[in-house]
Amino acid sequence: MTPRKELFIKVKEELMTIPELDLVDLERKQMQSDKFPNLFVAALVRINRISYTTMTEQNQEGEASIDVVLYCRDGWLDQHNGTQDPEHGLNEIDLMDKIAEKLQFLKGDQFTPLQQTDDETEEQDMDGLFAYRQTFDTRVYRKLAGKYTNKKLNI
């Protein structure tokens, strides 16, 4: 398994434990169209560029960052801006905190513990859809197949 696959699988497994999320998937522009009109809350994982450095014995290590983009449609949980809700219609902020708690220090066999480095709103074009991006950094490790093979010589 590659570090990219392991990162996605581990992050998805953790996010699936959050009951408020309708969809957890790899970012494929799902929320940029009407493909998923019935979804109210989705967390899409985007694994950004991994910068590798070649080490000895066909090993590589690299710096990686992943984004978790939380999409919330206006009115999920029947809350809207200006309602009498004691949370002021901002339950997505609590959901972002849950995501950070699940992923902060998550580690795998091929990556070091994730550390959150960024948190901001994400621009999108669909009316009534809000997006928030959280970025986590990690260090990944992998071993490549050997360039040469050992052969026995008979002299």
Side-chain angles (χ1 to χ4, degrees):
M1 180 180 325
T2 67
R4 187 178 296 268
K5 280 184 182 178
E6 184 186 17
L7 264 169
F8 172 69
I9 291 168
K10 293 274 189 182
V11 167
K12 183 177 180 178
E13 287 173 351
E14 284 299 312
L15 293 179
M16 293 292 288
T17 64
I18 301 174
E20 292 91 347
L21 296 175
D22 293 329
L23 173 70
V24 177
D25 199 2
L26 192 62
E27 169 70 75
R28 295 185 182 109
K29 307 289 185 202
Q30 295 95 318
M31 300 302 282
Q32 303 302 318
S33 68
D34 292 331
K35 288 181 187 177
F36 297 99
N38 296 326
L39 292 177
F40 283 95
V41 183
L44 300 180
V45 179
R46 180 171 49 218
I47 300 174
N48 301 312
R49 179 180 155 176
I50 300 175
S51 301
Y52 283 105
T53 302
T54 301
M55 309 302 281
T56 61
E57 298 181 11
Q58 293 82 38
N59 291 313
Q60 285 186 317
E61 61 181 52
E63 296 291 329
S65 72
I66 66 164
D67 293 334
V68 176
V69 183
L70 174 65
Y71 291 95
C72 299
R73 291 198 188 273
D74 190 24
W76 75 287
L77 296 179
D78 294 324
Q79 296 187 352
H80 301 271
N81 189 17
T83 63
Q84 299 300 316
D85 173 40
E87 298 291 328
H88 303 284
L90 298 173
N91 280 331
E92 59 265 23
I93 294 174
D94 292 333
L95 191 50
M96 289 172 60
D97 290 340
K98 286 182 182 180
I99 290 170
E101 288 172 7
K102 292 286 185 181
L103 298 184
Q104 184 73 5
F105 305 122
L106 175 69
K107 66 179 181 174
D109 295 332
Q110 298 180 76
F111 65 93
T112 60
L114 295 174
Q115 295 184 19
Q116 186 174 5
T117 58
D118 200 18
D119 179 343
E120 69 177 332
T121 58
E122 182 101 338
E123 293 296 322
Q124 52 75 37
D125 296 331
M126 290 182 70
D127 289 334
L129 184 68
F130 305 103
Y132 306 91
R133 178 179 52 80
Q134 294 171 278
T135 302
F136 298 84
D137 287 346
T138 186
R139 190 153 193 80
V140 297
Y141 303 94
R142 73 176 176 182
K143 184 167 186 76
L144 299 175
K147 185 174 180 180
Y148 304 104
T149 58
N150 293 332
K151 290 192 172 186
K152 190 171 185 176
L153 296 176
N154 292 326
I155 301 181

